[in-house]
Every structure is written in C-alpha cells, then in structure tokens.
Amino acid sequence: MRTLRKQLLALIEEARKQHQLDTPPPRLQAALLHDAMQLLPLPSRPTSKKRTALIAQTLTHNNMHRHIVFIRCPDQAFYLDAIKGYLIKQNIQPIAQQTMVMSLHCDTTSCQVELRQPEHQEEHNFMFIALHISATLVKGYQKMTRDMRAVLHAVELSIHDFPNMTQQLDQIAQHLEKQVPADAELLRWMNDGRYLLFGMHRFHSSDATAPKHSQRLGLMRNKQTLEQIIPDIHKQLLMLPPPDSVGLTWLHLAAAEHHLYNTTRVKVLRISWQQDGLW
C-alpha cells in the first residue's frame, strides 16, 4: 500500500504539471492523496465493482476554506459534462478543477497505477475528478454531493441502456413506416446521434393508463433517481390522457423545465402506434 501511495502521489504531481497548476499547500495535497487512495478501485474493496464513487471533505486552514469533492467515474466525457452542467445550473463556480485518467493493474502480489491519455476507452481506464468548492459560498456539501451522486447514477443508467434504446427506436420507426412515414423518417433522423437519450418508458396496452407490459430503460429505470433528476416528471406522465392518434407527439411538461444537470431544454416525446389491435 505504501508503494501504491508513492505511485499515486507522483502521478498527481505529474498531472498538476501537465495542467500548469500551482503547487498546492501540503494539507491540500495530503487531502487529495487521501481521497484518491480511498477511491482507487482495488480488487479487495467492495466499492471497486461500482463504476462511480464520490467522497467529500471540508478543509479549513489559514485562508483556505473549501470543500473538496473527489469523484471516480469511467473515462467518458458524459460524466464530467453532466457534473459541469449541474454546477452551472446551481450557479456554483469551482475554485479549481483537476481531472486525471488512470488505469490500475493488479496481480496476486501488488498493484500498479498509471496515468493515461483521456478518451482512449480502454477497459481498465477510469477518471478522477477533484472539484474545489468555496465553503464560504456553499455552506455545506451534503445536498451538493447527494445531487452529484444522482447525476452520476443517471448518466450511468443512460449510457448502459443507450444501445438498447437506439435499437428500439429504430424498430419503432419500422412500425410507423406504413402508417405515418413522415414521422418514421423524423424519428430515424433524431435517432442518428442528434439527441441524447436520457430514458425510455415503453408499454403495450389497449388502455394506456393500465399497461399490461412495461419496460423502463435509462433514467426511467430508477424512479428514485428519476425523481431527483426531474422532480414530478413521473407524476405528470401518469396524468397524461391515453393517445388517440398514431405518430410522434411532443409533450410540454412543466417538470421537464427543471432537469438537474442538463443545461439545454429537455424534450419529452410520446410515440404511439398500433400493433395487433393494441396501442
């Protein structure tokens, strides 16, 4: 473990120089090293199987009074972009931000950590994000870190189900082809990488208020996270009248205006079609 700490400290220093950041005070440097060690996905730790993890602490020393939020997540820009979006929407400007992409390789006797180039998408790569937040402007970090955990989980759900969602939208476009070809063409155009898919709720029923078969994907998969990311969206969806026509319908829901981390307007789309006499 001591060897691993030395490796990690050297990599943190190397990353600092690459980003041309000032040398941090010893207490801050020690805090960063401590948090990095805590979040390393070591095989012996139960948390190592989790794709995301977050810890936070407050440092107060002389003129330094800040929260340090340390995040581990996969080496994918969506996670960092979502966290940045959340901070923008909360009007929180970090004092500093540090990012490092690393890989960890372990055998039966030891582990070795390496600094990697970002966005190589290698299996063992992960990202460390250290956010320095003013403890004067943000009095406590509990709500902020609770929101950030929800943001990370929401991104993970959306990324995990993204291939399935895009495949299903392509299949739905095939169902619409004979009935409303213009809508089918529009759906294919939208599904061609032009929109981010947060989640999908698909059900088959003759009565949309009492679905016989339901499938939730992405953010819609977890109701607790959904409620935290878009408060009241589930309630407003349940209040919608059943569809009365085939095709695409843009839904104007008040809840969609209050997405926790997306900085652009969130759109809610209902797609309706008939198959075997059922909606």
Side-chain angles (χ1 to χ4, degrees):
M1 191 66 72
R2 182 176 298 176
T3 301
L4 197 56
R5 286 178 66 89
K6 290 181 178 180
Q7 291 178 5
L8 197 52
L9 181 60
L11 294 179
I12 291 175
E13 176 64 14
E14 182 180 344
R16 181 194 66 78
K17 291 179 179 178
Q18 289 180 2
H19 288 85
Q20 298 182 340
L21 299 174
D22 295 334
T23 302
R27 183 166 293 191
L28 178 55
Q29 190 174 37
L32 293 172
L33 177 59
H34 173 271
D35 290 351
M37 284 296 298
Q38 292 297 309
L39 291 187
L40 271 181
L42 297 174
S44 59
R45 292 176 177 169
T47 56
S48 64
K49 295 182 180 180
K50 294 184 178 181
R51 288 168 58 84
T52 64
L54 180 153
I55 56 177
Q57 60 174 308
T58 302
L59 293 181
T60 300
H61 183 66
N62 295 332
N63 62 344
M64 182 171 62
H65 188 46
R66 65 181 65 178
H67 308 303
I68 306 297
V69 181
F70 212 97
I71 297 168
R72 172 174 54 79
C73 63
D75 176 27
Q76 291 179 300
F78 295 111
Y79 291 92
L80 180 57
D81 290 345
I83 291 295
K84 286 182 177 179
Y86 167 76
L87 293 173
I88 290 172
K89 297 200 72 171
Q90 299 300 314
N91 198 27
I92 298 174
Q93 177 63 48
I95 299 170
Q97 172 192 304
Q98 298 167 264
T99 58
M100 296 179 292
V101 176
M102 295 187 167
S103 65
L104 180 69
H105 300 278
C106 298
D107 56 28
T108 56
T109 59
S110 63
C111 292
Q112 183 171 351
V113 62
E114 298 178 3
L115 197 63
R116 310 290 288 182
Q117 291 296 320
E119 290 295 332
H120 277 198
Q121 300 293 316
E122 296 179 14
E123 182 181 355
H124 297 286
N125 286 5
F126 58 90
M127 185 185 297
F128 273 155
I129 305 170
L131 300 169
H132 303 235
I133 309 293
S134 170
T136 302
L137 299 178
V138 180
K139 299 301 181 183
Y141 61 73
Q142 287 76 13
K143 180 184 182 302
M144 179 177 62
T145 54
R146 183 171 64 249
D147 287 346
M148 286 183 177
R149 286 189 175 94
V151 169
L152 293 170
H153 190 209
V155 173
E156 182 177 6
L157 290 170
S158 299
I159 289 177
H160 180 271
D161 287 344
F162 183 80
N164 193 354
M165 290 189 289
T166 55
Q167 182 180 20
Q168 292 205 28
L169 287 177
D170 185 61
Q171 294 172 353
I172 292 170
Q174 294 179 32
H175 288 297
L176 294 175
E177 188 71 56
K178 294 182 180 180
Q179 303 173 53
V180 278
D183 283 8
E185 183 179 357
L186 175 59
L187 184 58
R188 290 194 178 100
W189 179 86
M190 294 169 58
N191 197 31
D192 188 23
R194 291 181 170 85
Y195 280 80
L196 292 177
L197 293 174
F198 293 117
M200 177 188 295
H201 182 196
R202 180 175 177 178
F203 56 81
H204 303 276
S205 174
S206 56
D207 179 359
T209 62
K212 296 179 180 178
H213 173 70
S214 180
Q215 181 188 37
R216 298 176 183 271
L217 297 171
L219 179 56
M220 304 293 289
R221 181 189 293 274
N222 188 299
K223 291 183 179 179
Q224 182 177 355
T225 304
L226 174 65
E227 179 64 22
Q228 193 166 349
I229 298 296
I230 318 178
D232 296 328
I233 188 71
H234 183 65
K235 183 190 303 181
Q236 292 182 18
L237 288 172
L238 289 177
M239 294 173 62
L240 290 172
D244 57 5
S245 62
V246 174
L248 309 183
T249 305
W250 298 99
L251 304 176
H252 302 285
L253 303 181
E257 302 290 336
H258 304 286
H259 193 282
L260 191 60
Y261 66 85
N262 196 61
T263 54
T264 59
R265 185 177 179 181
V266 175
K267 299 180 182 295
V268 182
L269 177 66
R270 177 160 69 179
I271 312 170
S272 307
W273 72 96
Q274 286 186 321
Q275 185 177 0
D276 299 328
L278 299 177
W279 287 93

